[in-house]
Amino acid sequence: MESDSIVIIPTYNEKENIEKIIRAVFGLNKPFHILVIDDGSPDGTAQIVHHLMKTEFSDRLFIIERSGKLGLGTAYITGFKWALERKYEYVFEMDADFSHDPHDLPRLYAACHDDGNDVAVGSRYVSGVNVVNWPIGRVLMSYFASRYVQMVTGFKVHDTTAGFVCYKRKVLQTIPLDLVRFKGYAFQIEMKFTSYKIGFKIKEVPVIFVNRREGTSKMSGGIFGEAFFGVMRLRLDGWFRKYPKIKE
């Protein structure tokens, strides 16, 4: 089945969720392909994907297996490069744990394909605080992290740490992917901020974020520490770095 869109799903120990999320994406009216980036999950996540590839989805499900936990940012960079080597015009980031609703994928697609935006962000905070079943401390930390980014950088996106994103091909062709510094939450901020500084059009699409149903969170204090200090680095970049021009 042909598609102009690839959904990149990084995984580490997601055996409870991976088959369900794959079937949910493939059940949409709009056809998407999926690329799973698995960081050596010891729970058998990759084996589940391989089974689905062999039995049902050989033409639209793909996997890259890496040895060990190498970081969310490097997983996406690996996926971006893979997608750019192929025909995809729209490249999506999405979690495996159903915190991102697969039914919102066509809305992100439409924001880029139909409405002429270059980046579509599935935003928890553009229309209030749309988070379900998160501990209040986590909600406040995430919300004020995005406000902190806005304050330090002047960047107007409300949900800068969002991991539910659609990029047009030309965005990923223009950003120097090998120069992206950060691996955790700061990676998400850096990609959006760099897109903005280059001059790409960014649209926030309101979504409801639901805390994972099964499995365990991969969040850590180090990830937030990287984001906190990384934002200051991005602010300095905004003053002194020469950003590439958009390729027509």
Side-chain angles (χ1 to χ4, degrees):
M1 182 181 294
E2 292 295 316
S3 177
D4 60 355
S5 303
I6 185 83
V7 180
I8 301 173
I9 303 179
T11 56
Y12 184 78
N13 286 350
E14 292 288 357
K15 69 176 183 180
E16 297 96 344
N17 296 307
I18 191 61
E19 180 171 353
K20 297 173 188 173
I21 198 76
I22 288 169
R23 292 190 182 281
V25 172
F26 288 156
L28 298 170
N29 289 331
K30 153 114 181 94
F32 291 91
H33 288 182
I34 294 175
L35 172 64
V36 174
I37 312 282
D38 187 70
D39 274 6
S41 297
D43 72 345
T45 298
Q47 285 75 14
I48 295 170
V49 177
H50 279 292
H51 175 74
L52 293 172
M53 289 170 63
K54 288 178 182 176
T55 57
E56 296 183 63
F57 305 123
S58 61
D59 59 339
R60 48 185 167 151
L61 176 60
F62 311 94
I63 188 170
I64 295 174
E65 294 182 75
R66 308 195 304 170
S67 55
K69 296 179 71 173
L70 302 175
L72 183 73
T74 65
Y76 277 126
I77 295 296
T78 297
F80 292 161
K81 290 180 176 179
W82 186 94
L84 290 175
E85 290 171 358
R86 290 156 179 85
K87 61 188 178 302
Y88 301 104
E89 292 295 330
Y90 303 90
V91 182
F92 293 76
E93 298 178 1
M94 183 177 171
D95 290 346
D97 61 9
F98 284 93
S99 55
H100 304 143
D101 186 345
H103 290 94
D104 288 324
L105 284 169
R107 297 175 60 229
L108 297 182
Y109 176 81
C112 289
H113 180 270
D114 301 341
D115 300 339
N117 298 290
D118 302 305
V119 181
V121 179
S123 177
R124 296 163 289 189
Y125 307 127
V126 71
S127 60
V129 178
N130 294 319
V131 178
V132 177
N133 292 338
W134 249 13
I136 187 63
R138 183 90 177 271
V139 174
L140 292 173
M141 186 182 297
S142 174
Y143 176 77
F144 284 110
S146 284
R147 293 303 299 270
Y148 166 70
V149 174
Q150 289 179 310
M151 181 179 68
V152 173
T153 66
F155 186 30
K156 301 304 182 187
V157 168
H158 294 80
D159 194 353
T160 52
T161 63
F164 195 20
V165 187
C166 173
Y167 292 100
K168 274 187 177 175
R169 179 184 187 87
K170 66 179 181 179
V171 177
L172 302 179
Q173 288 176 319
T174 305
I175 292 175
L177 296 176
D178 288 331
L179 299 182
V180 174
R181 293 192 187 95
F182 301 115
K183 294 183 179 180
Y185 259 30
F187 166 80
Q188 300 292 5
I189 301 167
E190 183 176 2
M191 285 294 297
K192 297 178 188 70
F193 183 72
T194 303
S195 301
Y196 157 75
K197 292 297 289 185
I198 290 171
F200 287 113
K201 292 176 62 178
I202 302 174
K203 170 72 173 179
E204 288 190 88
V205 177
V207 300
I208 295 175
F209 182 96
V210 181
N211 195 26
R212 63 164 50 243
R213 301 174 189 172
E214 299 183 72
T216 57
S217 173
K218 314 303 188 294
M219 191 61 58
S220 71
I223 289 174
F224 272 103
E226 180 198 57
F228 183 84
F229 293 106
V231 170
M232 298 179 189
R233 185 78 176 268
L234 291 177
R235 172 69 281 186
L236 293 175
D237 281 352
W239 286 335
F240 301 114
R241 179 178 173 184
K242 186 174 181 180
Y243 292 90
K245 290 185 168 52
I246 298 175
K247 300 172 184 176
E248 297 299 334

